[in-house]
Structures are given as C-alpha cells and as structure tokens.
Amino acid sequence: MKTAGIITEYNPLHYGHAFLMQAVRRQYGGDTAIICAMSGDFVQRGDFALVRRQARAEAAVRSGADLVLELPLPWAVSSAEGFARGGIDVLTGTGMLDVLAFGSECGDSAALLRAAKALESPALPPLLKAALAQGDNFAAARQRAVSALLAAEDAALLSSPNNTLGIEYCRALLQSGSEPEIFTVSRTGAAHDAAAGDAGGYSASAIRQLLGDGRRADALSRMVPAMQAAYAAEEAAGRAPVFASACERAILSRLRGMSPADFDALDTGREGIGQRLYNASREASSLSAILDAAKTRRYAYARLRRMVLWAYLGLTPADVPAHVPYLRVLAANETGRTLLHQMRKRAQLPVITKPAAVRQLSPEAQALFRLEARGADLYALAYPALSAAAGGTLWRQGPAML
C-alpha cells in the first residue's frame, strides 16, 4: 500500500479537491492511503477559514482522505514558501510519505521540479537582487531572475498560483532531502481565487463569495456532500459562516494599539512595509482602507493581509520554529488509524492525539500549541453566534475518529 500526501486548506472542500484524491487512487491503486496536512482556523491568504478546522477535517475523511494532520498556525499563514515548508515538514515527519500529490495549472511535475532547482541554484541570488532593484514586487522579480536560468516556458510557471505553490513544494522536498514521487494533476475549471461568475466553474474563494452574498444554496451545491453536511451542522450551531469582517473592530483595535516597533517586527524584509501599515492604521477606519493605503506595486495584498492577521493573532517571526515540532491528528478513519499505528515506529516527530500530551513535549512545542490555542480563541470571536465562542476549546477537543 502506497501512502500519498496532500497539503491543503479545504476552505471549503469542493469537487476539485475530491478529484485530486480520486486521481491519486486511479494512478496508484484504490488501496492508496491519503494523508492530508491541513491548515487550521486561519489560511494562507491571510484570512479566517470559513469553517473551523475540526469540521473541515472530518469532511475530508468522509470524502476520501484517511488521515488529516494539522499544518500548524505559523506555517499556515505564511508565504507560499513557508506554507510549503510547513506542509512538507508535516508529511515527511510521518515517515510514511511515498507520493506528494497536488494540483497545478501545467500538470507537469518534471517542469515544476526544474523550476524548483533553479530557485535553489547559487546563481539565483544576484539575479534576484538585480531584478528587485527595478522596483517590481518579489514574485515578478523572482520570475525575471529565473528566466535567466531556464527556458521561458519553465520560468513562466512562476506566474500561475498553483504552479508556484507546486514549485515551492518541490523546493521544500529538495531542502529536506526527502525523495517521494511527485504527482500533479492539471487543474480544470475555475482558476485559483476566481470570483463567483467567472468562466470555468467555482473555486473555493468563489464559494466563499457566494456565501458572503447570501447565495447559500448555490454555495452548498459546489461543496462535496460531506462538506455540505459539515457546513450545515456548523451553521446550526452558530459557528458558520466565519468571515474576518466579524472581527474587524477587534483587528483595528489591535492595530491601533501597536507601536512602530511592533509593526517593524512583522516586516521580515526590512523594506518599510511595517511603517506603511502603521501609518495607515492611525488614520483608516476599515481594514480595506488600511490595505489600500499601504499597498504599493511592490507589496501584494496577500502579504499585507498576512501581516495584519499576524498582528491580530500576536504572532511574530520569532514565534516560528525552524521546523514543525509535532504532528497533531485532526481526523482519521480505519485506514488512518492503521497509519497512526505504523507511525509509532516510523514517525520522525511526536504524534499528538490528546491535547494534554503536549505537556510532555519540548518547551518549543508547548509554546507553539499555546499559540494555536490562543488563535482558536480569537477565531471563535468571529462566529455568528457569540454564545458559541467559548474559549479554551483547543485544549478540550480530540480528533474525529470515524
């Protein structure tokens, strides 16, 4: 039996996500086990997840995954590079990874690996420095730099979001020394982050937009059945849908209470973006106005959103360990339980099924879990029903064993 790993958010889980799991089993056999490394309550674009982690993880197992492990908070809300590195840490940490599977616009794993090797080349840094000096944002500058090392069609892969993420997965694998097989399928339908109504179907972001627009039936029809059921149950409990706008005043309050030094601590590139956010937060009365005021050609909105989210959560780069220190189980079926049994011997990281077990781990691991618990409490403040937002839930909830 092969074990395939998928790094994901399932925000929410739709038919495109299910297609990847089906494609894995068509390629490697129906008994292929699937392990997911899934973001928790916050996601990579600097936003709140539509539905809390436990509900999404259970829906994933009911939709084809066998074991869902948590991608810890600092990596889940990082750049594509950090997101990929955390996901690869989780999957390789199981000691079980035979295949890494993901969707991409190109569907060409060899081309993605060539681009990853170019990004790891010692020839890249001076080329990137020269490209950044021209004033482009990091993504555009990096693509220009890579075009000096690769054929134009390979460098162009960095202009597409899922290709870019796949390249970062390959880079993280190269850095880890792990060598699973790489399997990618071409994305069909809507592009990543396509808006509702765009041609080609519905992306996860379009589904979220439909819910925000009050088009509940349309949104649910785009989710797989288990996700529909999970969403409906969370909605009935007053815990869905979750949108960052519900915490806008709390976020603005946090930003206005921060000092210039606090913002500078989030500006890892030391490029002045922290001061732009600080200045904008003194005057603007909405998050969108803050982002618009701080935005320049060089800084992508996603990067600004992540910095604002880190500020709200009280995260700083110093809180991010060099590597993921533990594997936290969110959900599993019978095959997943078999995997967990095998991981007792093969896993390279401690496996947590009960929150109390964290207290037996390293101080670094305990500090990370406390960040997760605080993040969960802040996330709950965005529930539609405040009565459902009790604190301390992460210390009381174990995985869903189906």
Side-chain angles (χ1 to χ4, degrees):
M1 180 178 70
K2 281 187 175 289
T3 300
I6 297 174
I7 303 169
T8 190
E9 293 181 326
Y10 294 152
N11 185 40
L13 200 159
H14 56 66
Y15 287 97
H17 297 132
F19 175 82
L20 175 58
M21 290 189 274
Q22 294 159 3
V24 166
R25 291 194 169 108
R26 284 196 299 270
Q27 179 73 15
Y28 298 102
D31 64 344
T32 302
I34 293 178
I35 302 176
C36 293
M38 192 192 79
S39 303
D41 292 332
F42 300 93
V43 293
Q44 197 264 337
R45 66 194 298 270
D47 205 354
F48 291 50
L50 181 70
V51 177
R52 65 193 178 106
R53 73 191 86 194
Q54 290 86 356
R56 291 171 16 251
E58 183 172 341
V61 169
R62 295 189 185 280
S63 302
D66 296 300
L67 175 64
V68 180
L69 304 173
E70 183 172 73
L71 175 59
L73 178 61
W75 293 273
V77 294
S78 289
S79 64
E81 181 179 358
F83 180 88
R85 188 169 58 247
I88 294 300
D89 272 2
V90 170
L91 293 177
T92 58
T94 66
M96 305 288 293
L97 185 65
D98 298 313
V99 179
L100 177 69
F102 54 88
S104 62
E105 287 87 359
C106 70
D108 185 343
S109 59
L112 297 172
L113 188 56
R114 286 195 297 270
K117 289 179 178 178
L119 291 176
E120 290 295 292
S121 168
L124 183 73
L127 294 170
L128 179 58
K129 183 178 180 180
L132 285 169
Q134 297 182 37
D136 284 342
N137 65 36
F138 180 80
R142 188 170 69 161
Q143 184 178 339
R144 182 184 293 114
V146 168
S147 67
L149 301 175
L150 293 178
E153 58 268 25
D154 283 351
L157 296 174
L158 285 162
S159 64
S160 303
N162 287 282
N163 285 339
T164 298
L165 195 52
I167 290 166
E168 293 297 346
Y169 294 154
C170 293
R171 282 186 74 194
L173 285 174
L174 291 171
Q175 293 165 2
S176 73
S178 180
E179 297 182 347
E181 186 173 346
I182 298 170
F183 176 70
T184 185
V185 298
S186 298
R187 279 181 61 96
T188 58
H192 177 79
D193 271 356
D198 285 359
Y202 280 76
S203 65
S205 59
I207 294 172
R208 296 191 299 272
Q209 182 183 328
L210 288 173
L211 286 166
D213 292 343
R215 297 169 59 185
R216 180 182 183 277
D218 285 349
L220 263 64
S221 71
R222 308 293 172 172
M223 302 178 194
V224 298
M227 190 71 244
Q228 292 180 30
Y231 177 84
E234 291 297 293
E235 187 181 55
R239 295 190 295 259
V242 174
F243 294 112
S245 56
C247 282
E248 183 165 17
R249 290 195 180 195
I251 297 171
L252 291 172
S253 174
R254 168 64 179 159
L255 295 179
R256 288 196 178 179
M258 291 171 61
S259 69
D262 294 330
F263 280 94
D264 282 342
L266 300 175
D267 183 8
T268 53
R270 297 294 183 265
E271 298 172 297
I273 188 173
Q275 289 307 298
R276 293 187 65 86
L277 279 172
Y278 171 78
N279 292 334
S281 69
R282 302 304 98 176
E283 299 179 7
S285 57
S286 70
L287 289 178
S288 61
I290 289 174
L291 296 176
D292 287 342
K295 178 78 175 72
T296 70
R297 178 186 174 195
R298 187 157 180 167
Y299 307 133
Y301 274 113
R303 182 179 176 188
L304 295 169
R305 285 195 301 265
R306 282 193 295 271
M307 288 181 70
V308 167
L309 181 60
W310 278 55
Y312 173 62
L313 297 175
L315 284 172
T316 69
D319 295 321
V320 186
H323 296 283
V324 172
Y326 56 73
L327 303 175
R328 180 169 181 249
V329 181
L330 295 179
N333 59 15
E334 184 175 351
T335 298
R337 290 193 290 274
T338 299
L339 292 172
L340 288 171
H341 180 74
Q342 295 171 349
M343 285 164 57
R344 291 175 185 169
K345 298 179 180 179
R346 298 174 60 177
Q348 300 164 15
L349 296 171
V351 180
I352 298 172
T353 54
K354 297 180 180 179
V358 172
R359 297 187 174 94
Q360 307 303 315
L361 302 184
S362 68
E364 179 182 69
Q366 293 182 52
L368 176 62
F369 195 87
R370 286 194 296 270
L371 286 176
E372 290 281 1
R374 185 176 70 194
D377 289 348
L378 292 172
Y379 172 83
L381 296 177
Y383 288 160
L386 197 57
S387 60
T393 57
L394 210 65
W395 289 103
R396 299 191 294 270
Q397 290 175 329
M401 294 297 192
L402 307 179

